[in-house]
Amino acid sequence: MYDLKQEYDKYTEEDFLVWKLLYERQFKNYPNRAAYSFLKGLKKVNFVADRIPHFEETNEVLKATTGWQLEVVPGLIPDKDFFELLSVKKFPATTWLRKMEELDYLEEPDMFHDVFAHVPILTNQFFVDFLQSLSKIALKHINNPFAIELIGRVYWFTVEFGLIDGKQGLRIYGAGILSSTGETVFCLEDQAVRYPYDVKTIMEKQYYKHAFQDRYYMIESYAQLFGSIDEIEHWLNVALLKYPTVSGDVTKMDFKLD
Ligand code: HBI
Ligand code: FE
């Protein structure tokens, strides 16, 4: 699709330093916050602070575990391309790293977000089956911005900002949190608002990209996440029937689905 490759020998001293600083800064917050499945996957893909991952090595591990592969993309890509890649077990990943002066925040997802925070959990079969099934639903409605917004909300509150409250207690699996120092701590504290995972309410309310989330949703297991695919399709169809003609900026709209 994009036919790009990771050009490993082009990484600079600054790139290696940025990777190392971000890795060490994040990792020290992980022991009792990151999800068990994430930490297990991190070991499996063998990401370390002193080495920017080689995509072909990561791809060998993913191929052997869940059959997924990393697909190099230049940055944010259109929803159609994004969901098409996910539907064939390809995870879109950038290969460039933010600059030192962008260490704390950057507009677009860089390789640290796409690879360090997103990839380890691609070793979890229920999680990737959820991701692939969600993308297939999106492709069925790819020309309907309202439907894509609702699916995008489910993606946001699971893949990006999801929490899991399972056997190991309350932990983080969402990559948007795991790649952010502040939110990794904030989301588990008392003042953070947390609800049990609920597809309908996730779809009903808008979300904000440039601040800590005003709410988080907790699954009990990745099986529950994959098991919610039919419910996602159900509430999406309810929304499409209830709001047959939606126009304007749907990202800023709240809906009532029942
Ligand atoms: N493109 N490369 C990339 N990475 C993303 O996470 C991404 C994207 N395009 C669209 C998108 N995410 C969101 O709109 C998802 O909700 C689909
Ligand atoms: Fe992401």
Side-chain angles (χ1 to χ4, degrees):
M1 190 184 276
Y2 287 87
D3 209 15
L4 295 171
K5 286 186 67 54
Q6 181 186 30
E7 297 175 289
Y8 203 88
D9 44 16
K10 285 199 175 152
Y11 288 123
T12 64
E13 279 305 300
E14 181 180 5
D15 291 328
F16 278 92
L17 185 57
V18 162
W19 175 269
K20 180 178 168 67
L21 288 176
L22 290 171
Y23 187 111
E24 289 172 346
R25 198 172 68 170
Q26 276 308 96
F27 195 78
K28 74 175 185 322
N29 284 328
Y30 282 175
N32 53 6
R33 291 192 179 87
Y36 174 73
S37 220
F38 175 87
L39 294 171
K40 207 170 116 201
L42 189 59
K43 275 200 199 76
K44 235 184 187 143
V45 294
N46 190 28
F47 290 165
V48 292
D50 299 323
R51 192 165 174 272
I52 293 172
H54 278 272
F55 274 33
E56 62 274 7
E57 289 171 18
T58 307
N59 278 339
E60 271 164 41
V61 174
L62 291 177
K63 194 96 189 133
T65 317
T66 54
W68 277 63
Q69 292 290 270
L70 298 183
E71 174 89 4
V72 177
V73 293
L76 284 175
I77 58 177
D79 288 338
K80 186 168 179 337
D81 294 352
F82 185 72
F83 287 120
E84 264 170 15
L85 286 168
L86 295 180
S87 72
V88 291
K89 302 184 183 179
K90 289 182 177 172
F91 189 81
T94 47
T95 56
W96 53 268
L97 279 160
R98 67 191 79 177
K99 296 296 168 229
M100 280 300 270
E101 58 272 11
E102 297 172 294
L103 220 52
D104 292 319
Y105 184 77
L106 78 163
E107 266 308 298
E108 287 226 358
D110 70 341
M111 179 181 172
F112 186 75
H113 170 82
D114 285 341
V115 175
F116 180 75
H118 269 294
V119 166
I121 199 136
L122 296 180
T123 57
N124 178 297
Q125 194 61 51
F126 278 128
F127 179 87
V128 293
D129 289 348
F130 165 75
L131 198 49
Q132 186 177 25
S133 304
L134 187 71
S135 68
K136 288 179 177 172
I137 298 173
L139 290 174
K140 278 194 255 181
H141 303 275
I142 199 64
N143 298 316
N144 180 336
F146 174 46
I148 294 302
E149 167 61 19
L150 297 184
I151 292 164
R153 293 177 180 185
V154 174
Y155 181 91
W156 186 262
F157 284 109
T158 54
V159 181
E160 295 296 352
F161 289 89
L163 301 179
I164 179 164
D165 192 6
K167 292 191 292 298
Q168 283 89 16
L170 182 61
R171 287 172 178 258
I172 304 162
Y173 71 94
I177 308 177
L178 288 171
S179 56
S180 149
T181 23
E183 199 148 9
T184 299
V185 175
F186 170 75
C187 72
L188 301 180
E189 294 192 325
D190 291 350
Q191 73 264 36
V193 175
R194 293 180 289 271
Y195 302 113
Y197 175 63
D198 178 68
V199 169
K200 183 181 69 72
T201 45
I202 285 175
M203 286 188 173
E204 288 181 330
K205 267 185 77 181
Q206 64 188 292
Y207 63 84
Y208 306 94
K209 285 191 188 261
H210 303 301
F212 287 175
Q213 295 306 302
D214 61 359
R215 64 198 194 280
Y216 300 94
Y217 292 90
M218 305 174 287
I219 59 174
E220 290 165 14
S221 70
Y222 302 101
Q224 179 201 9
L225 193 57
F226 178 52
S228 74
I229 284 295
D230 290 348
E231 200 186 351
I232 291 166
E233 198 132 41
H234 166 74
W235 286 113
L236 182 63
N237 291 330
V238 165
L240 295 176
L241 283 173
K242 188 164 181 185
Y243 299 93
T245 54
V246 176
S247 62
D249 183 357
V250 286
T251 66
K252 299 203 173 24
M253 292 178 192
D254 290 347
F255 303 96
K256 198 78 196 87
L257 299 188
D258 65 349

